[in-house]
């Protein structure tokens, strides 16, 4: 399940402040520059290949890191739904 921009920003803030590093998958993803117009759509289509999780079992978000004339580099953050639910219940 892809997050909206505000949800993605919130997840990035939460990941950066309260989620232990081993609870989330955080990785760089390189896409062809043609994906620049809709990188979230491209990631959604490839999420099962980019992560070890089933798409329905995770929340995920991304942010733009850099680009050149041929490539777009993104930061993909993925957390299993159960893990996030458990962490939020401890607040």
């Amino acid at each position: 399940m892809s997050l909206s921009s505000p949800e993605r920003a919130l997840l990035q803030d939460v990941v950066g402040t309260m989620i232990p590093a081993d609870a989330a998958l955080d990785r760089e993803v390189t896409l062809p520059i043609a994906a620049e117009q809709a990188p979230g759509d491209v990631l959604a289509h490839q999420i099962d290949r980019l992560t070890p999780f089933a798409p329905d079992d995770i929340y995920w978000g991304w942010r733009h890191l850099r680009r050149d004339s041929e490539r777009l580099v993104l930061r993909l953050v993925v957390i299993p739904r159960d893990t996030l639910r458990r962490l939020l219940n401890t607040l």
Side-chain angles (χ1 to χ4, degrees), residues 4 20 23:
S4 67

Side-chain angles (χ1 to χ4, degrees), residues 12-32:
Q12 288 171 347
D13 288 345
V14 169
V15 168
T17 58
M18 71 165 275
I19 295 179
D22 62 348
L25 172 67
D26 180 10
R27 63 172 285 197
E28 283 189 13
V29 175
T30 302
L31 300 175

Side-chain angles (χ1 to χ4, degrees), residues 4-77:
S4 67
S5 292
E7 290 170 327
R8 187 170 48 247
L10 176 61
L11 179 60
Q12 288 171 347
D13 288 345
V14 169
V15 168
T17 58
M18 71 165 275
I19 295 179
D22 62 348
L25 172 67
D26 180 10
R27 63 172 285 197
E28 283 189 13
V29 175
T30 302
L31 300 175
I33 199 65
E36 188 172 38
Q37 295 301 315
D41 293 341
V42 174
L43 290 173
H45 191 307
Q46 297 182 2
I47 200 74
D48 60 334
R49 289 180 282 185
L50 296 170
T51 74
F53 307 107
D56 291 338
D57 294 339
I58 58 173
Y59 290 111
W60 60 276
W62 61 273
R63 68 180 170 101
H64 177 266
L65 293 179
R66 61 188 174 280
R67 72 181 293 279
D68 62 27
S69 62
E70 298 178 7
R71 293 178 302 247
L72 179 65
V73 181
L74 309 172
R75 169 74 57 202
L76 175 65
V77 179

